[in-house]
């Protein structure tokens, strides 16, 4: 690759994005600047070893990722984007300093700025209220915007964005649709339940665990005919109604048919998806998500 690379500014390269990032690098010679920060989408802390079925994780030094990358602080982004070494800069909407510094650095270097946007409603925290005018300016001034769906595209277009492109969310179909699945181990998996409902996600308020458990209690569904399996929440999930938490002493299961599980690896999660009958996504809107 003789042409100058593209600089991609984002917080992390989690396992579920590694192969997409690697493919993008192979096509366009992309260098990734990883500035850290909170992880928002169901992946634990970076680990040096590859999770089963996904082919790798983000290492402390970044050397195990299959594409050029560097770990930087948000303060370094502006200097890196302004270096003139890149033919374009791609920035995500994450990072209170990384995003404006990437924009300023790209403009200083005369490089096109592509904004990778996933917001379809602006968060309502005080910090986000302050950042809203800046984000509006970025929507209107970016050379191109990339979104993951038409609802995000409609949101940014309504706020002045132009040259908007949709890049749909993608998964590794070969892995996730593979026929060689195994039944989850019993126990704790409620193999005897006639209908098994599944939630997979983080134990945070915006994921709607409180709403889900309230709905489950009101539905009248219970063991042994029905089970609600909560994957990734641990034995005592927060954000549940008073009296709705599952007792750790019960082995993660209560008389109402609720089973709580710790986070699992991709292969085990695939088996759980295959064994469940209904997937439940009870997310709620909050001020920050």
């Amino acid at each position: 690759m003789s042409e100058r690379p593209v600089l991609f500014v984002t917080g992390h390269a989690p396992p579920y994005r590694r192969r997409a990032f690697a493919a993008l690098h192979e096509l366009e010679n992309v260098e990734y600047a990883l500035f850290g920060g909170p992880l928002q989408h169901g992946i634990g802390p970076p680990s040096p070893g590859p999770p089963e079925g996904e082919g790798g994780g983000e290492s402390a030094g970044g050397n195990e990722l299959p594409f050029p990358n560097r770990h930087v602080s948000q303060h370094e982004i502006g200097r890196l984007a302004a270096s003139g070494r890149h033919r374009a800069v791609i920035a995500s909407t994450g990072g209170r300093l990384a995003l404006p510094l990437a924009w300023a650095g790209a403009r200083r270097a005369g490089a096109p700025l592509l904004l990778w946007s996933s917001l379809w409603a602006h968060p309502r925290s005080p910090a986000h209220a302050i950042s809203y005018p800046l984000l509006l300016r970025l929507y209107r001034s970016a050379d191109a915007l990339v979104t993951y769906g038409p609802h995000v595209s409609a949101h940014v277009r309504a706020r002045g964005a132009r040259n908007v492109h949709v890049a749909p969310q993608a998964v590794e179909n070969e892995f996730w649709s593979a026929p060689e699945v195994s039944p989850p181990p019993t126990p704790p998996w409620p193999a005897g339940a006639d209908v098994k409902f599944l939630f997979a996600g983080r134990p945070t308020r915006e994921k709607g665990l409180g709403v889900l458990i309230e709905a489950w209690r009101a539905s009248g569904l219970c063991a042994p005919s029905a089970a609600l399996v909560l994957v990734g929440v641990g034995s005592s999930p927060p954000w549940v109604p008073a009296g709705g938490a599952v007792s750790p002493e019960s082995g993660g299961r209560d008389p109402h048919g609720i089973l709580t599980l710790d986070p699992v690896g991709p292969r085990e999660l695939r088996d759980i998806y295959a064994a469940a009958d209904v997937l439940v996504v009870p997310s709620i809107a909050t001020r920050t998500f």
Side-chain angles (χ1 to χ4, degrees):
M1 296 182 181
S2 58
E3 61 182 351
R4 291 183 299 160
V6 172
L7 178 65
F8 197 131
V9 179
T10 188
H12 298 275
Y16 57 84
R17 285 183 177 151
R18 284 182 78 248
R19 294 188 184 180
F21 282 1
L24 187 58
H25 165 65
E26 289 297 320
L27 289 171
E28 295 293 342
N29 187 17
V30 179
E31 173 187 296
Y32 294 85
L34 309 175
F35 58 81
L39 289 156
Q40 295 285 3
H41 294 288
I43 188 72
S47 64
E52 187 178 10
E54 288 293 318
E58 179 177 340
S59 69
N63 295 323
E64 296 185 10
L65 297 175
F67 41 75
N69 67 92
R70 60 177 72 197
H71 291 252
V72 298
S73 70
Q74 292 195 46
H75 292 88
E76 297 176 80
I77 296 297
R79 176 178 53 80
L80 186 60
S83 67
R85 297 193 303 104
H86 306 95
R87 70 182 195 276
V89 176
I90 303 173
S92 67
T93 51
R96 294 182 181 178
L97 291 177
L99 177 56
L101 290 177
W103 174 79
R107 290 294 176 254
R108 196 174 306 126
L113 176 74
L114 286 71
L115 184 62
W116 176 22
S117 181
S118 59
L119 295 175
W120 47 267
H122 195 75
R124 303 185 306 277
S125 71
H128 285 100
I130 294 172
S131 69
Y132 187 58
L134 172 63
L135 194 57
L136 285 180
R137 185 177 179 189
L138 285 170
Y139 286 153
R140 294 164 183 164
S141 66
D143 296 280
L145 275 89
V146 180
T147 74
Y148 71 86
H151 61 304
V152 184
S153 295
H155 176 78
V156 297
R157 284 195 179 102
R159 285 149 185 83
R162 55 188 177 83
N163 196 18
V164 180
H165 303 265
V166 176
Q169 300 277 37
V171 298
E172 294 184 62
N173 284 325
E174 183 177 348
F175 172 78
W176 289 102
S177 62
E180 57 268 14
V181 295
S182 302
T186 305
W189 181 255
D194 295 328
V195 184
K196 293 169 278 292
F197 294 77
L198 172 64
F199 164 90
R202 297 175 290 118
T204 54
R205 181 169 177 258
E206 61 264 16
K207 291 301 181 181
L209 280 176
V211 172
L212 174 57
I213 293 179
E214 284 182 345
W216 182 261
R217 302 284 195 224
S219 72
L221 295 168
C222 62
S225 61
L228 173 62
V229 182
L230 311 176
V231 178
V233 304
S235 60
S236 298
W239 304 110
V240 298
V246 180
S247 169
E249 289 75 23
S250 68
R253 183 181 297 164
D254 76 352
H256 296 274
I258 300 176
L259 169 67
T260 62
L261 298 175
D262 291 327
V264 299
R267 189 175 298 276
E268 186 176 355
L269 182 60
R270 183 182 66 184
D271 293 344
I272 290 174
Y273 275 133
D277 300 294
V278 181
L279 179 66
V280 187
V281 185
S283 299
I284 61 173
T286 67
R287 290 197 310 160
T288 59
F289 197 86

